[in-house]
Amino acid sequence: MGGSTGNLSTRLLLDCHRLRIIAKPLGITRIDDSAESIQIQFIPNPPIDPAKNIQLIQSSREYSLSGQDRLKIQAQIEDLNKRVTRVKELMQKLGRNNL
């Protein structure tokens, strides 16, 4: 009992740690996710080209600003692994030519 659950827990813990490592140079201080949305919070004046945030928001209705320092993705993603993948994809978009 717990073999596959233990492996899943370990994998999720490693994914969370990897996300923190990727997030830091992008100025991301917090990632909140639920089945309905993902919110990314940035430090003041993050090292990301502001045009990238604007470009993302204009590219799809699922992206929006939530205050001065937050980017929100409105998406129905029940599966935790798929949410992790979605956050990684977003960080790749934000980090391109930036790091």
Side-chain angles (χ1 to χ4, degrees), residues 63-82:
Y63 295 106
S64 65
L65 290 177
S66 180
Q68 284 184 284
D69 61 348
R70 290 187 198 103
L71 181 64
K72 184 175 185 177
I73 305 169
Q74 194 71 38
Q76 294 290 324
I77 307 172
E78 296 286 332
D79 183 67
L80 185 57
N81 291 321
K82 289 181 182 178

Side-chain angles (χ1 to χ4, degrees), residues 5-18 81 85:
T5 304
N7 289 340
L8 179 61
S9 297
T10 301
R11 187 165 157 243
L12 290 174
L13 183 63
L14 287 172
D15 282 341
C16 288
H17 183 66
R18 286 184 187 119
N81 291 321
T85 299

Side-chain angles (χ1 to χ4, degrees), residues 14-28:
L14 287 172
D15 282 341
C16 288
H17 183 66
R18 286 184 187 119
L19 286 176
R20 276 189 241 129
I21 290 169
I22 297 167
K24 191 171 184 172
L26 295 172
I28 296 171

Side-chain angles (χ1 to χ4, degrees), residues 28-76:
I28 296 171
T29 59
R30 185 176 178 143
I31 302 167
D32 292 319
D33 70 313
S34 68
E36 293 82 33
S37 68
I38 299 168
Q39 282 200 53
I40 308 290
Q41 184 171 357
F42 296 94
I43 61 171
N45 302 312
I48 295 174
D49 181 2
K52 287 187 181 185
N53 277 341
I54 293 168
Q55 193 175 35
L56 273 174
I57 293 164
Q58 291 175 341
S59 72
S60 175
R61 289 179 169 237
E62 68 183 1
Y63 295 106
S64 65
L65 290 177
S66 180
Q68 284 184 284
D69 61 348
R70 290 187 198 103
L71 181 64
K72 184 175 185 177
I73 305 169
Q74 194 71 38
Q76 294 290 324

Side-chain angles (χ1 to χ4, degrees), residues 72-96:
K72 184 175 185 177
I73 305 169
Q74 194 71 38
Q76 294 290 324
I77 307 172
E78 296 286 332
D79 183 67
L80 185 57
N81 291 321
K82 289 181 182 178
R83 288 198 305 259
V84 168
T85 299
R86 187 63 184 272
V87 171
K88 286 179 186 177
E89 289 169 353
L90 174 63
M91 288 185 195
Q92 287 175 345
K93 287 179 185 180
L94 293 173
R96 245 180 240 134

